[in-house]
Amino acid sequence: TGSSYATMSFILPVLESAKRTKLSHEPRRMVRASLSNNARRPLKTSGGGFGAPNAKRNIKLPYDASCLCGRPQAFDQCCGPYLEGSKSIDTPVALMRARYVAYCLGEVDFIIRTTHPSHEDWRGGTKSSRREWARSLQLYAERYEYTKLEIVDTSTRDDGVHGEVEFKASFRRRDLADADVAHLHHERSHFVRSGMIAPWMYYRGEILDLEVQKGSLH
Ligand SMILES: [Zn+2]
C-alpha cells in the first residue's frame, strides 16, 4: 500500500502501516502535548454534504487557552477564524496549522474543503465518496489524539501561488492500551491557490519520515 501514502492529506497516513518503525525509549518529549487533553471534546459531525462550503461556523473550545496549533495566541485569535470560515486562508503555513487543529477537533469538513480538488482523496468527487472520506477522517480523529505540531520550514514561491510547509506532527492512539506508543509524522506539504487573493489549498504531501516510538511515556 506504499502508493497510498501520497494520497494522504497530512497525518492520515501512516499509522498502522508505517513503512519505517523505530522502537526506542524516546522520553517525554513526545508527550509534552500541553493541550492535548483539552482537545478531547465530543466529536460532532458537521453536517451538510457539498452544501455551503463557506458557511461560517462558530466553533467553541471548551477551555480558554492557547491555540492547539502550538502558538501562544488564543484559538479565536489564531486558527479559529480559519476553521470557522470567517477569515481567508492567506498563507500556506496558516492552512497547515489550521488543518492540524481541524484534525485535533475532528473538523473533517474543513479538512475536506481545504484539500485541492485534484487530490486523490476526492476520489471522483461524488457525494458518496465524499461521505466515505469524511467517515474515515472522523474515524482517525476519534482514534488518534494529536499532541504536537512543529513547523520545520515554510516558503512561498515567487509566483505567489505555490507554497510549501515542512512539519512534524506527533500523535497517539486514544485507547489506553496503546497510550505509550507515540507516532511522529514528518511531511513536506505542497499548497496552491488559484490567484493572488484566493485562499490556499492543500495540494499534496511528501512523507519524509514516519516513526513509531514505544515506551516511557508514563
Ligand atoms: Zn493556531
Side-chain angles (χ1 to χ4, degrees):
T1 59
S3 63
S4 69
Y5 286 127
T7 76
M8 305 184 287
S9 36
F10 176 34
I11 288 179
L12 268 201
V14 204
L15 314 179
E16 264 77 32
S17 53
K19 275 181 179 170
R20 186 172 151 217
T21 299
K22 285 183 184 171
L23 296 180
S24 70
H25 291 285
E26 183 65 40
R28 311 204 151 256
R29 182 165 60 79
M30 301 288 291
V31 207
R32 221 172 30 184
S34 49
L35 292 171
S36 58
N37 289 335
N38 293 326
R40 294 180 191 225
R41 63 162 200 181
L43 294 162
K44 61 184 180 200
T45 55
S46 28
F50 281 102
N54 295 316
K56 291 184 181 176
R57 306 191 52 221
N58 189 13
I59 301 168
K60 287 273 181 251
L61 295 185
Y63 59 91
D64 179 19
S66 302
C67 187
L68 293 166
C69 77
R71 298 176 77 206
Q73 287 90 333
F75 175 71
D76 61 5
Q77 301 291 317
C78 190
C79 295
Y82 297 119
L83 268 73
E84 292 170 346
S86 61
K87 186 176 179 187
S88 182
I89 299 160
D90 46 5
T91 63
V93 72
L95 178 53
M96 176 66 244
R97 290 183 179 281
R99 283 172 62 96
Y100 172 85
V101 172
Y103 274 91
C104 292
L105 298 175
E107 291 288 337
V108 301
D109 278 359
F110 181 82
I111 294 164
I112 290 172
R113 74 171 185 263
T114 58
T115 300
H116 194 269
S118 69
H119 194 282
E120 292 177 65
D121 280 348
W122 278 99
R123 294 184 193 101
T126 65
K127 284 188 179 181
S128 69
S129 66
R130 189 187 190 281
R131 268 198 302 274
E132 185 187 331
W133 180 15
R135 263 199 302 274
S136 71
L137 287 168
Q138 196 75 44
L139 182 67
Y140 275 100
E142 288 166 9
R143 183 173 295 165
Y144 292 96
E145 176 183 26
Y146 304 96
T147 55
K148 184 185 172 189
L149 174 66
E150 178 191 348
I151 303 295
V152 179
D153 193 23
T154 179
S155 62
T156 302
R157 290 195 216 157
D158 290 342
D159 64 9
V161 297
H162 292 83
E164 296 174 1
V165 179
E166 180 184 341
F167 70 91
K168 294 178 180 177
S170 303
F171 56 104
R172 63 187 173 195
R173 284 188 70 122
R174 294 182 188 277
D175 22 320
L176 285 176
D178 282 322
D180 65 342
V181 179
H183 299 263
L184 180 72
H185 178 100
H186 184 186
E187 178 179 318
R188 181 180 299 114
S189 295
H190 297 261
F191 298 87
V192 295
R193 58 178 172 174
S194 59
M196 295 300 282
I197 57 168
W200 287 91
M201 302 196 82
Y202 177 84
Y203 185 62
R204 69 183 176 89
E206 297 167 59
I207 309 294
L208 303 176
D209 199 10
L210 304 169
E211 290 182 22
V212 179
Q213 298 178 323
K214 188 170 175 58
S216 71
L217 296 184
H218 298 294

